[in-house]
């Protein structure tokens, strides 16, 4: 079903159009990923669609009866409401309908014959609405979404204003998911979510029947959620079928096809123009004039362009020893706080190693031990011969904010480098023109990150140690960095929460969780496969305002419910479902509404039974798993 139409939309600032002629439709079940380079206008397009910004031209039309919901970026909550109450407020309209339904039921009990028909019709309409929207299971639905987004039961009674900014943004996401509008506009929905919570959100969105338009820098997320992709580039929107990976393939194929068409037309034009130059007079003048008319009528193609990242390249580096790092029986603790122990590994020259773990588990501490900045509590670490380390921390503190870009990456002690070499190098990282004379502190996050990477290249390091290197980079800069690291003839150690990056780059992972660490010989997909095979799960870490990878821990499920046989619980499930059916039939009887006390009791029984059913199923699952 068609839900929303965008027609010929245009928006610009300072007389420069961000986009123009943008047209597309959103139908039920469409999960559309919106991608484009930083500054292309993705967020502005969402604002124009929802009416928060005014386009210069075109329309965005929500079709009759459809509801639109937008993921807000800033949380503004009034004090005095608990987390659970705030989340449940997503159902305010439904709760109002429930109250109206009860009022109508009371009115029916005392209604005269002339009013009964109208009240009965209203009652039937409200009853159908409440049933279709599962109005008797609201608390269960709120708990499901809050739990999926990383909140615990003990968080529910806390005042909403006591939560951090990142947690409050998750509450906004919860309210949007619970309200289930027909069309959802989601701008970076996985921000502030750890890996386990992001996985839950991916699964949740992929099951929803609504239409949605999603802006995200998380390519793994887009692969899991999107079934269509829109690319905003060069002021136009181009539609592709499928998720992010399908989009990349189709985009490249389309560009190559259009480039060949443009080249063929250019060759045809050049041949015609050459003929016209040679024959514009004499016997062939008439034929030349005919070819002039052909060229005048020709619909000429523009040379195609495609979004591309900077041409990042790490130069050839000195060969290090075969083993870059040898770690044996490493342990690190601070007093009673154990970070990890029994950690042994060898990092061979040329390997690309990912380090994963929840916040506070010891990822940075392990890096500091490898860099020689900190000693392990026990065990030993040996660095191989001829290793030269270049370190990029996630705060990019290696470059001087008060220097110009050119001077910030130029080593003071290297007289062999020239200004032109430095400019050429910065150009390969997408930094060129006036920007190289700007102070580093004036750059955007992505520009500053690329400058810091350029500095590593100048240093000639044969071991790159990178802490969250894809932060601040757009999708295309990430692609370029990944290709550069895969082609780098040195060794790479990287801490990253970017699953797509880890899949493409890493061939060995060090997984750190509180009190334990292990080595996985493969990429992130292999790691997930191993977790599944070994019966492990990804556990959500306590996070605030940043995304972190969570390490796997062995699944040791404890009993939540007292011991009962699965057969006994199954009998309770059947009895509960049968009683629910009976009560729903009773609620169809108009005579019930003549007795308000009985009506209220019946509705309360139905709500209690609906709330108990999920717990019975959970108890049954537990019994099947643990009773054997």
């Amino acid at each position: 079903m068609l839900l929303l139409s965008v027609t010929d939309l245009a928006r610009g600032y300072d007389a420069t159009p961000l986009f123009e002629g943008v047209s597309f439709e959103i139908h039920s079940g469409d999960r559309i990923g919106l991608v484009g380079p930083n500054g292309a206008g993705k967020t502005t397009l969402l604002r124009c669609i929802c009416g928060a910004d005014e386009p210069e031209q075109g329309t965005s039309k929500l079709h009759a009866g459809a509801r639109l919901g937008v993921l807000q970026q800033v949380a503004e909550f009034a004090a005095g409401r608990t987390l659970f109450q705030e989340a449940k407020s997503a159902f305010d309209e439904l709760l109002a309908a429930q109250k109206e339904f009860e009022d109508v039921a009371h009115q029916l009990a005392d209604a005269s014959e002339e009013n009964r028909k109208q009240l009965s019709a209203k009652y039937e309409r409200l009853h159908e609405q409440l049933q279709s929207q599962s109005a008797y299971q609201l608390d269960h639905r709120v708990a499901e979404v809050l739990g999926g987004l990383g909140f615990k039961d003990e968080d529910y009674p806390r005042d909403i204003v006591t939560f951090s900014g990142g947690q409050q943004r998750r509450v906004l996401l919860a309210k949007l998911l619970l309200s289930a509008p027909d069309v959802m506009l989601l701008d970076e929905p996985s921000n502030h979510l750890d890996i386990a919570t992001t996985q839950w959100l991916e699964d949740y969105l992929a099951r929803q029947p609504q239409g949605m338009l999603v802006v995200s820098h998380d390519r793994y997320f887009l692969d899991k959620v999107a079934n269509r992709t829109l690319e905003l580039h060069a002021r136009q929107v181009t539609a592709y079928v499928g998720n992010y990976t399908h989009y990349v393939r189709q985009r490249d194929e389309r560009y190559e096809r259009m480039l060949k068409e443009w080249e063929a037309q250019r060759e045809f034009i050049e041949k015609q123009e050459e003929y016209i130059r040679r024959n514009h007079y004499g016997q062939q003048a008439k034929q030349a004039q005919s070819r002039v008319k052909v060229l005048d009528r020709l619909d000429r193609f523009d040379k195609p362009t495609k979004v591309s990242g900077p041409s990042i390249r790490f130069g050839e580096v000195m060969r290090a020893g075969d083993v870059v790092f040898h770690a044996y029986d490493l342990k690190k603790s601070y007093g009673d706080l154990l970070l990890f122990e029994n950690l042994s590994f060898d990092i061979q020259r040329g390997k690309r190693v990912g380090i994963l773990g929840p916040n506070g588990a010891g990822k940075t501490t392990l890096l500091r031990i490898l860099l020689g900045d900190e000693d392990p509590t026990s065990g030993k670490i040996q660095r191989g011969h001829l290793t030269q380390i270049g370190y990029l921390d996630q705060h990019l503190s290696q470059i001087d904010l008060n220097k110009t870009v050119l001077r910030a990456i130029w080593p003071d002690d290297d007289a062999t480098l020239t200004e032109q070499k430095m400019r050429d190098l910065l150009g390969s990282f997408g930094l060129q023109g006036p920007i190289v004379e700007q102070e580093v502190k004036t750059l955007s996050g992505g520009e500053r990150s690329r400058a810091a990477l350029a500095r590593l290249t100048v240093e000639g390091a044969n071991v790159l140690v990178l802490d969250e290197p894809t932060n601040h980079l757009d999708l295309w800069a990430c692609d370029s960095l990944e290709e550069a690291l895969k082609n780098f003839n040195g060794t790479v150690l990287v801490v990253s929460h970017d699953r797509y990056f880890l899949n493409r780059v890493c061939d060995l992972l060090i997984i750190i969780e509180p009190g334990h660490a292990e080595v996985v010989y493969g990429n992130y997909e292999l790691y997930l496969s191993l977790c599944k095979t070994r019966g492990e799960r990804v556990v959500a870490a306590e996070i605030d305002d940043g995304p972190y990878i969570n390490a796997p821990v062995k699944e040791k499920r404890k009993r939540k419910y007292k011991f009962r046989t699965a057969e006994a619980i199954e009998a309770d499930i059947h009895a509960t479902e049968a009683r629910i059916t009976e009560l729903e039939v009773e609620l169809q009887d108009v005579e019930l509404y003549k007795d308000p006390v009985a009506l209220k009791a019946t509705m309360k029984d139905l709500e209690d039974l609906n709330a108990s059913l999920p717990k019975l199923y959970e108890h049954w699952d537990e019994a099947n798993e643990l009773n054997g």
Side-chain angles (χ1 to χ4, degrees), residues 98-108:
Q98 203 172 56
K99 177 66 170 59
E100 186 180 7
F101 177 71
E102 294 175 7
D103 291 343
V104 170
H106 289 305
Q107 293 171 31
L108 263 174

Side-chain angles (χ1 to χ4, degrees), residues 426-446:
L426 285 169
S428 72
F429 282 81
L431 302 170
Q432 51 196 346
I435 197 171
V436 302
E437 299 295 347
Q438 290 180 214
E439 291 184 347
V440 173
K441 63 186 176 186
T442 68
L443 302 183
S444 68

Side-chain angles (χ1 to χ4, degrees), residues 470-490:
T470 61
N471 282 1
H472 312 298
L473 298 182
D474 64 21
L475 304 182
W476 294 270
C478 287
D479 285 338
S480 297
L481 176 59
E482 288 158 2
E483 288 300 320
L485 291 175
K486 288 195 294 182
N487 293 323
F488 177 54
N489 68 325

Side-chain angles (χ1 to χ4, degrees), residues 322 324 345-356 464 482 484-496 498-511 518-527 530:
D322 289 342
V324 175
F345 56 83
D346 283 337
I347 297 179
Q348 305 289 332
R349 184 187 68 253
K351 286 292 183 182
R352 298 182 296 274
V353 182
I355 301 175
L356 317 182
L464 300 180
E482 288 158 2
L485 291 175
K486 288 195 294 182
N487 293 323
F488 177 54
N489 68 325
T491 306
V492 179
L493 279 76
V494 58
V495 172
S496 179
D498 187 330
R499 296 165 291 168
Y500 202 92
F501 176 91
L502 294 168
N503 267 342
R504 292 193 67 199
V505 172
C506 295
D507 45 30
L508 187 147
L509 301 177
I510 299 174
I511 313 297
E518 69 168 319
V519 178
V520 174
Y521 293 91
N523 64 6
Y524 184 76
E525 286 290 349
L526 178 63
Y527 158 61
L530 286 173

